[in-house]
Amino acid sequence: MDRLKAAAQAHNVALDDDDGQFALAMDAADPLGHLRDEFEIPTVGQVTGIAGEQSDALCTYLCGNSLGLLPKRSRRILNEEMDEWAAKGVVGHHRHSKGRPWISYRKLIVEKMAPMFGASPIEIGVMNTLTVNIHLMLAAFYKPTATRNKILIESKAFPSDHYAVESQIQWHNLPADALLLAEPRAGELALRTSDILDLIEQQGSEIAVVMLSGVQYYTGQVFDMETITAAAQAKGCVVGWDLAHAAGNVPLKLHDWNVDFACWCTYKYMNSGPGGISGFFVHDRYAQDTELARLTGWWAHDEETRFEMSNRFVPNRGAAGFEISNTPILTAATLLGSLEVFEQASKESLQEKSLLLTTYLEYLLHRYASQHIRIITPSDSRGAQLSLLFATDKFDAVFKALMSAGVICDERKPNCIRIAPVPLYNTFADVK
């Protein structure tokens, strides 16, 4: 809130105005404002299917936590790859008119993506989709024993995570209580870091893997990844993170935090498109660990000898040694377009704008709707998302009214609406 008040003072406008002057002043001075032009913003008519006076106006898109908007560069690069395929066929793997030979496409991606995750390129991989990569990482890092076989996740983890972990436990013929759930306190929805640490302290000797979400999908809570990772590893646990709602959203320092592995999708804040390719991280202390049993494939083989076809597996160094199949170029192309947009802004500037947008949204909600909503996202540990609870009997009408007006957000039954102003393309006027 102090940041917001300071911004109002700096622009000589009142924060509590009703005519939107604060939002206009903030947008006029926004150093990232030009990035909005990098994206296709749907119109109200396009997203609602309703014809009317406002149908040609741009919608208010606050749903980047579910699916990011289309970067214009992604459309261009995808079309270029289609043209390359048409003109070159298989030759495009090695000779590419735009200097992007398909055989080394992954390197373009990981070199641009690594800084976003506080990692070096050797620690970043790109393949498959998120849940597949979770399974592959657990195949490598979940090594249950008779006494250490539990996996710790949050009790309201995204269903796909819950199912993946549950099925891994079943795959190893272990009892159901090998799935350990971190529960919020009675009457609370967010998890307290102290309670997670207490659980790890109490049962750490039985926990093989701790795999929480970097940002909790329902509440929007950002977990203290550094502290939890250190505590779990001190008890001998492997630590992985699902960063689906953290990637492109909050600051990450996976290498410095000593995280063992992490996985994420790229279609939310990273704008790669529906069902886009997934990324993953493996700490470089495993870079040359050829003894680490994993599920393998041809593309994970040492690139220097891959085409010798010896059928004697020698893994690539680093995360590339976990990439089972070659990079799917068309989905990687849309991600590449988004990464080029991210390169135009520093992580610090994106984070600063994100904090201001979300704080402004929280301020307005308290001012105009405090009697009707409950914000469940902790104010001291959040990214771009605010999760709002409504009275169940009012929920459907509120959500329908927002969507019909071209305010695009998402719902989680029975009474939660998630709203996420994204610093790359949202404005303060959107929030107002």
Side-chain angles (χ1 to χ4, degrees):
M1 193 62 193
D2 289 342
R3 278 189 175 94
L4 212 59
K5 291 178 180 177
Q9 186 174 12
H11 296 299
N12 197 30
V13 292
L15 180 58
D16 59 355
D17 68 327
D18 290 317
D19 58 3
Q21 290 305 305
F22 173 79
L24 292 174
M26 291 295 289
D27 287 335
D30 181 10
L32 303 180
H34 64 286
L35 295 180
R36 181 175 170 88
D37 293 334
E38 293 277 353
F39 292 86
E40 300 285 359
I41 313 291
T43 66
V44 172
Q46 287 172 327
V47 295
T48 65
I50 300 172
E53 292 182 5
Q54 296 298 314
S55 60
D56 292 331
L58 297 181
C59 77
T60 302
Y61 194 86
L62 299 172
C63 208
N65 59 308
S66 186
L67 178 67
L69 290 177
L70 169 65
K72 295 174 182 177
R73 292 168 187 254
S74 294
R75 186 197 297 273
R76 173 180 58 78
I77 293 173
L78 177 59
N79 286 336
E80 288 172 355
E81 299 307 343
M82 297 288 280
D83 291 343
E84 200 72 11
W85 180 19
K88 299 271 181 64
V90 71
V91 175
H93 280 95
H94 300 278
R95 186 160 54 84
H96 193 288
S97 62
K98 301 295 183 180
R100 300 189 299 261
W102 299 330
I103 197 167
S104 57
Y105 216 86
R106 70 167 302 278
K107 293 181 180 179
L108 291 175
I109 302 295
V110 301
E111 286 173 2
K112 293 179 184 297
M113 195 153 53
M116 299 174 65
F117 293 86
S120 62
I122 197 174
E123 296 174 306
I124 299 293
V126 57
M127 63 177 177
N128 306 314
T129 49
L130 174 56
T131 308
V132 175
N133 286 347
I134 287 174
H135 276 296
L136 291 173
M137 291 297 102
L138 288 174
F141 289 99
Y142 179 44
K143 309 293 186 184
T145 68
T147 58
R148 187 188 287 273
N149 54 40
K150 294 183 178 181
I151 301 179
L152 172 62
I153 63 174
E154 71 263 34
S155 62
K156 198 174 175 64
F158 192 79
S160 194
D161 285 16
H162 189 106
Y163 302 153
V165 169
E166 190 173 52
S167 64
Q168 285 280 332
I169 288 168
Q170 293 167 349
W171 179 260
H172 286 278
N173 295 314
L174 292 166
D177 62 7
L179 177 58
L180 181 60
L181 302 178
E183 302 269 4
R185 296 187 185 187
E188 298 181 0
L189 291 171
L191 279 161
R192 299 191 187 191
T193 300
S194 60
D195 290 347
I196 298 173
L197 298 180
D198 286 345
L199 185 57
I200 291 170
E201 178 61 31
Q202 294 160 10
Q203 300 197 43
S205 63
E206 303 173 44
I207 298 172
V209 176
V210 172
M211 199 191 81
L212 300 169
S213 304
V215 175
Q216 217 287 326
Y217 88 98
Y218 182 77
T219 65
Q221 176 186 7
V222 179
F223 288 118
D224 187 343
M225 290 174 261
E226 181 178 15
T227 298
I228 294 169
T229 298
Q233 289 176 339
K235 299 295 286 188
C237 312
V238 170
V239 180
W241 291 94
D242 175 354
L243 301 177
H245 287 81
N249 177 18
V250 298
L252 296 165
K253 298 180 180 179
L254 299 184
H255 178 86
D256 290 348
W257 295 341
N258 207 38
V259 170
D260 291 291
F261 71 89
C263 305
W264 55 90
C265 56
T266 62
Y267 54 79
K268 300 180 187 298
Y269 298 100
M270 293 184 68
N271 316 302
S272 69
I277 195 168
S278 171
F280 69 97
F281 166 92
V282 177
H283 198 280
D284 71 3
R285 66 178 175 280
Y286 299 105
Q288 301 187 69
D289 186 353
T290 59
E291 301 303 313
L292 179 62
R294 67 194 80 178
L295 295 178
T296 61
W298 184 47
W299 216 248
H301 186 94
D302 176 22
E303 64 180 11
E304 298 299 324
T305 59
R306 181 185 293 146
F307 283 89
E308 292 178 7
M309 309 295 196
S310 67
N311 286 347
R312 291 188 296 273
F313 182 72
V314 179
N316 263 315
R317 290 182 65 245
F322 293 79
E323 290 183 358
I324 289 179
S325 301
N326 64 326
T327 309
I329 299 304
L330 301 185
T331 54
T334 58
L335 175 57
L336 180 60
S338 180
L339 292 174
E340 288 186 358
V341 178
F342 272 101
E343 285 185 319
Q344 297 181 58
S346 69
K347 291 185 291 185
E348 293 77 15
S349 62
L350 287 169
Q351 182 65 9
E352 176 66 17
K353 182 178 176 182
S354 181
L355 287 170
L356 286 168
L357 284 169
T358 311
T359 304
Y360 186 44
L361 174 60
E362 181 183 38
Y363 166 77
L364 293 171
L365 289 168
H366 281 310
R367 185 177 179 200
Y368 294 109
S370 60
Q371 294 181 331
H372 306 289
I373 64 167
R374 174 188 170 195
I375 300 174
I376 63 173
T377 311
S379 59
D380 60 348
S381 52
R382 68 186 184 205
Q385 175 184 321
L386 287 186
S387 296
L388 318 177
L389 296 188
F390 293 79
T392 304
D393 61 339
K394 306 290 185 185
F395 173 74
D396 287 337
V398 170
F399 185 70
K400 182 179 179 180
L402 287 169
M403 296 293 282
S404 297
V407 179
I408 307 305
C409 46
D410 77 356
E411 61 176 339
R412 287 294 180 265
K413 298 289 189 180
N415 64 337
C416 181
I417 292 178
R418 304 184 304 169
I419 298 176
V422 174
L424 281 177
Y425 50 75
N426 280 126
T427 65
F428 288 87
D430 286 339
V431 171
K432 177 63 175 177

